[in-house]
Amino acid sequence: MTTQSIPIGVVTVSDRASRGLYEDKGGPGIVAALTDLLASPWHPVARIIADERDLIEAALVELADAGGCPLILTTGGTGPAPRDVTPEATEAVCDKMMPGFGELMRTVSLKVVPTAILSRQTAGIRGRALIVNLPGKPSSIRECLDAVMPAIPYCIDLIGGPRLETNPAHCIAFRPKGA
């Protein structure tokens, strides 16, 4: 286990939160979930930005390239509304897409609410960073992270990132024997 604190990007995409008209609950929801799920030392590198594709792309690039975040989690902007463009911004900056993350998150969410089918969460790789789009509601964030977190540490291993260890009381990360 690494002793150096790992930076993890936490990006809230919300017009209202970025203008201070709405309390950001998504970013703190991600931080709360990661506090339970991760055993490795880590720290959030948080951003709150408007639903503007160029701003989302710039934040993702900055966190992945200059910020050295091996994991970037976004919240918000994944629905069907005209200003929901987080998946498009994510796809634009990624080298390869990881559609299984979105498929699993929708499957888990559909067990709770039928409107989960409207969600467009996705994930992708940019260099040595995994970017995962999460929903905006804290309870949904936790449901989705509980579902995908077992695969995240090994994915980060495969792209050359730092070794992330999970807290076995909340999550058992899958790694093949010998990995």
Side-chain angles (χ1 to χ4, degrees):
M1 185 184 314
T2 183
T3 57
Q4 188 174 15
S5 182
I6 299 167
I8 296 181
V10 176
V11 181
T12 298
V13 180
S14 167
D15 287 330
R16 294 182 301 148
S18 70
R19 291 193 305 260
L21 303 174
Y22 172 82
E23 177 187 356
D24 174 25
K25 295 181 181 170
I30 291 172
V31 171
L34 291 179
T35 299
D36 285 345
L37 295 169
L38 292 179
S40 297
W42 68 279
H43 62 276
V45 182
R47 303 285 184 270
I48 301 176
I49 55 178
D51 286 280
E52 297 288 343
R53 185 171 165 172
D54 60 336
L55 296 176
I56 301 165
E57 289 177 19
L60 297 176
V61 167
E62 184 262 325
L63 290 167
D65 298 358
C69 296
L71 176 61
I72 301 166
L73 302 173
T74 71
T75 177
T78 59
R83 292 193 54 77
D84 289 337
V85 295
T86 302
E88 288 80 6
T90 299
E91 189 168 346
V93 303
C94 285
D95 307 316
K96 55 179 75 165
M97 298 307 294
M98 304 294 291
F101 283 87
E103 293 164 6
L104 179 56
M105 289 187 283
R106 277 183 292 283
T107 299
V108 167
S109 296
L110 277 168
K111 294 175 184 175
V112 179
V113 61
T115 54
I117 199 166
L118 302 176
S119 171
R120 299 180 314 115
Q121 285 110 323
T122 191
I125 306 293
R126 178 181 177 84
R128 292 185 179 193
L130 171 63
I131 301 169
V132 180
N133 300 153
L134 297 166
K137 185 177 169 189
S139 61
S140 299
I141 288 168
R142 183 59 191 249
E143 290 162 4
C144 289
L145 275 177
D146 283 346
V148 299
M149 186 55 79
I152 287 176
Y154 186 53
C155 181
I156 291 172
D157 291 350
L158 291 172
I159 61 175
R163 188 170 177 95
L164 273 181
E165 297 292 348
T166 55
N167 177 348
H170 296 283
C171 176
I172 304 292
F174 173 82
R175 285 188 168 99
K177 291 189 188 313

